[in-house]
Amino acid sequence: MSDKAVITCALNGVLTDPKQHNVPVTPEQMAREARAAFNAGASIMHIHLRQQAPNKGHLPSWQVDVSKEIQQAIREACPGVIINHTTGTSGPNYQGALDCVRETRPEIAACNAGSLNYLKVKADNTWAWPPMMFDNAVEKVQDYLDVMKEAGTIPEFECFDVGIVRCVGMYRQTGMYSGPLEYNFVMGVASGMPADPDLLPILLKLKAPEAHWQVTAIGRAEIWPLHQRAADLGGHLRSGLEDTFYLCDGTKVTSNGQLVEALAACAKRAGRQIASPAEARQIFGTRH
């Protein structure tokens, strides 16, 4: 088990509406929230891009210029910080995501490692949104891996279900990818893996033995025992306004910094120290 826990902050996500929730959109807002997370112990900032026009901040953007501006603002606010760039898109048109990685060369980027029926049912037994497929066919995964290799970017393999964890090993086995492995176990999506701490030992048996791993826990106050179990088992830690708005006591947060403080407390209860950005670079092998 690594005694150093690397904390990633997922600053804003793609589904949250800034009119309803206090999520950052502009470069200035992203930098301010990143600084709060950085001061609380986060070494990595996972970013999503939003449209910058008035009243469009709830919509995703894949403009390279927007990515560059946001990354520059975050790096200026947080010296030495590591950027983890989103790439998640549904459908056949994902050129914008490829362009953002190729042109901005983030140290890490998400690589969604398999497909998922993205579903949720409301209390009245109707769909929360129209059922959709988050499609990540092998050919799409290969496109992402190719551009990440070109950019010198390490992929973080996003695994939404148990079978997807097993797929990552197949990508290595077939030669699709040969670099360092990072798994992100995404737990709590209604149609994916549940946010159940008892599932973690099974996932750890299925990942490559030498690979780094972390948990993305989606939900409310009920996710915090999962974060603690991840810390106890030697995993790295992630939270942010993309994943939750709630602390373990049910308090609704207003800033990413509060969530990172809670993650840091999980690590300390597990007897672990928080990795600095330089230490995180050494652990993950990212470029300087």
Side-chain angles (χ1 to χ4, degrees):
M1 183 178 82
S2 170
D3 63 339
K4 297 282 188 179
V6 178
I7 296 179
T8 295
C9 183
L11 291 170
N12 58 348
V14 69
L15 298 174
T16 42
D17 187 341
K19 291 184 178 179
Q20 297 177 335
H21 302 285
N22 192 35
V23 293
V25 171
T26 67
E28 295 77 16
Q29 292 167 348
M30 293 286 280
R32 183 175 65 244
E33 278 295 299
R35 183 67 195 184
F38 189 76
N39 287 344
S43 295
I44 301 176
M45 303 299 162
H46 178 63
I47 63 170
H48 286 252
L49 312 177
R50 305 294 190 91
Q51 294 187 21
Q52 300 295 303
N55 299 316
K56 297 290 186 179
H58 61 294
L59 298 174
S61 170
W62 292 107
Q63 287 185 265
V64 171
D65 287 349
V66 171
S67 180
K68 287 180 176 178
E69 289 176 20
I70 286 174
Q71 290 190 52
Q72 180 179 347
I74 291 173
R75 293 185 196 282
E76 289 176 356
C78 309
V81 75
I82 299 168
I83 298 294
N84 177 329
H85 204 294
T86 184
T87 63
T89 56
S90 294
N93 183 12
Y94 49 94
Q95 187 61 50
L98 296 175
D99 290 343
C100 281
V101 173
R102 181 182 291 110
E103 297 298 325
T104 73
R105 302 179 68 243
E107 293 94 332
I108 301 172
C111 183
N112 296 285
S115 300
L116 183 76
N117 283 317
Y118 205 81
L119 312 174
K120 187 176 181 179
V121 176
K122 296 188 294 186
D124 64 1
N125 296 323
T126 62
W127 295 116
W129 53 74
M132 63 168 283
M133 168 65 79
F134 184 30
D135 58 310
N136 294 288
V138 171
E139 296 80 8
K140 186 175 183 179
V141 173
Q142 184 70 76
D143 287 343
Y144 281 124
L145 291 174
D146 288 346
V147 79
M148 289 179 199
K149 183 177 181 179
E150 176 188 336
T153 297
I154 293 177
E156 178 187 84
F157 289 99
E158 316 295 321
C159 301
F160 300 86
D161 219 336
V162 175
I164 299 177
V165 176
R166 302 177 76 188
C167 289
V168 174
M170 297 182 196
Y171 301 151
R172 166 70 69 81
Q173 189 177 358
T174 58
M176 287 177 61
Y177 177 69
S178 59
L181 284 178
E182 290 183 32
Y183 290 77
N184 181 23
F185 303 136
V186 183
M187 305 171 74
V189 175
S191 53
M193 291 189 288
D196 183 346
D198 291 339
L199 187 54
L200 275 181
I202 297 171
L203 299 176
L204 296 185
K205 284 199 300 184
L206 296 174
K207 77 172 186 68
E210 77 285 2
H212 298 292
W213 64 279
Q214 68 175 16
V215 167
T216 290
I218 311 294
R220 296 195 175 203
E222 76 279 359
I223 65 176
W224 287 96
L226 175 57
H227 284 305
Q228 187 61 58
R229 189 70 182 279
D232 293 342
L233 291 174
H236 299 292
L237 303 172
R238 163 181 151 157
S239 193
L241 296 176
E242 174 175 7
D243 304 335
T244 189
F245 297 108
Y246 297 92
L247 298 174
C248 60
D249 63 358
T251 301
K252 189 171 184 179
V253 301
T254 57
S255 171
N256 282 285
Q258 295 163 277
L259 295 170
V260 174
E261 287 174 2
L263 284 183
C266 288
K268 290 171 183 174
R269 282 192 294 270
R272 300 173 64 193
Q273 297 178 309
I274 308 304
S276 68
E279 290 168 332
R281 290 181 184 278
Q282 186 173 21
I283 289 168
F284 289 138
T286 62
R287 67 178 187 276
H288 294 267

